[in-house]
Amino acid sequence: DLDLWLSNRSAPRLRLMRNDIPGSNHYLALRLQGNGVNTNRNAIGARVEITLSNPETQSENSAVQVSDTTFIKSLRAGEGFLSQGSKWLHFGLGKSSQIDKVVVRWPGGDVQEFMNLEPNRRYRLTQDISDATLWERSSEKLRISTSPQDVPLQTDTARIPLIIPLPLP
């Protein structure tokens, strides 16, 4: 499940919106790394295509439909004003439990294909290395605790300091 961190200018400054909805669908998460020569190290601009072999989906009449499906995502540096998305590419696979192949089109023009990836895992895909590396979670246990928020007092005056003073009469 995907969780969401929010940062605000006013209180509360940092907020975690945790997704605890139970689900039985499959996923695949990928972290890309460019070679630093003809592609940037963060692989910004890379395009990933995931092909599922014979995915099974339930239709409204409960019949099973079988067909090849391709999911496409691009790795981007930012999504909006003062915001940043994760560099992990997360693909929801639904009920499909088999991944046929993953094709990465690197920003430098190289195309690379990765095979034998399993669903419900996180992998690091590195340019010019043919095998995907399984990403393991750190064994260190992180603790998140709440803290009191200092809310500034409301006032009728405002102050905007300027770096370069405006020429005023």
Side-chain angles (χ1 to χ4, degrees):
D1 63 11
L2 295 177
D3 300 324
L4 181 66
W5 285 99
L6 297 174
S7 177
N8 240 336
R9 277 187 46 213
S10 56
R13 295 285 307 210
L14 190 60
R15 186 178 289 175
L16 170 66
M17 300 184 83
R18 188 176 169 123
N19 179 5
D20 289 328
I21 298 173
S24 60
N25 291 331
H26 300 289
Y27 74 93
L28 179 67
L30 303 173
R31 181 75 179 253
L32 305 180
Q33 182 175 340
N35 61 11
V37 178
N38 61 349
T39 299
N40 60 78
R41 293 290 275 176
N42 290 323
I44 303 299
R47 176 181 157 145
V48 178
E49 301 174 8
I50 293 181
T51 302
L52 305 177
S53 57
N54 299 327
E56 297 180 2
T57 57
Q58 295 289 337
S59 67
E60 293 177 3
N61 61 4
S62 298
V64 176
Q65 299 172 344
V66 179
S67 64
D68 286 346
T69 300
T70 301
F71 297 108
I72 300 172
K73 282 193 178 187
S74 295
L75 185 59
R76 295 182 281 201
E79 298 298 319
F81 180 68
L82 296 179
S83 66
Q84 178 65 44
S86 173
K87 285 189 254 179
W88 283 98
L89 292 175
H90 184 274
F91 293 86
L93 306 178
K95 302 293 182 194
S96 299
S97 60
Q98 186 176 1
I99 300 167
D100 187 27
K101 65 181 176 180
V102 174
V103 177
V104 180
R105 298 180 189 284
W106 300 98
D110 296 343
V111 177
Q112 198 170 356
E113 196 170 285
F114 296 90
M115 307 294 279
N116 302 322
L117 299 182
E118 297 179 28
N120 303 328
R121 310 239 179 194
R122 292 175 170 261
Y123 290 96
R124 178 180 297 276
L125 306 181
T126 306
Q127 187 176 10
D128 300 330
I129 297 177
S130 60
D131 293 328
T133 306
L134 184 62
W135 181 82
E136 295 291 336
R137 184 181 304 248
S138 172
S139 61
E140 182 181 338
K141 190 71 173 170
L142 297 177
R143 294 190 178 263
I144 300 174
S145 60
T146 60
S147 62
Q149 299 293 319
D150 295 328
V151 180
L153 298 174
Q154 290 190 2
T155 178
D156 291 337
T157 60
R159 180 174 172 255
I160 302 174
L162 301 175
I163 295 173
I164 300 173
L166 295 175
L168 299 173

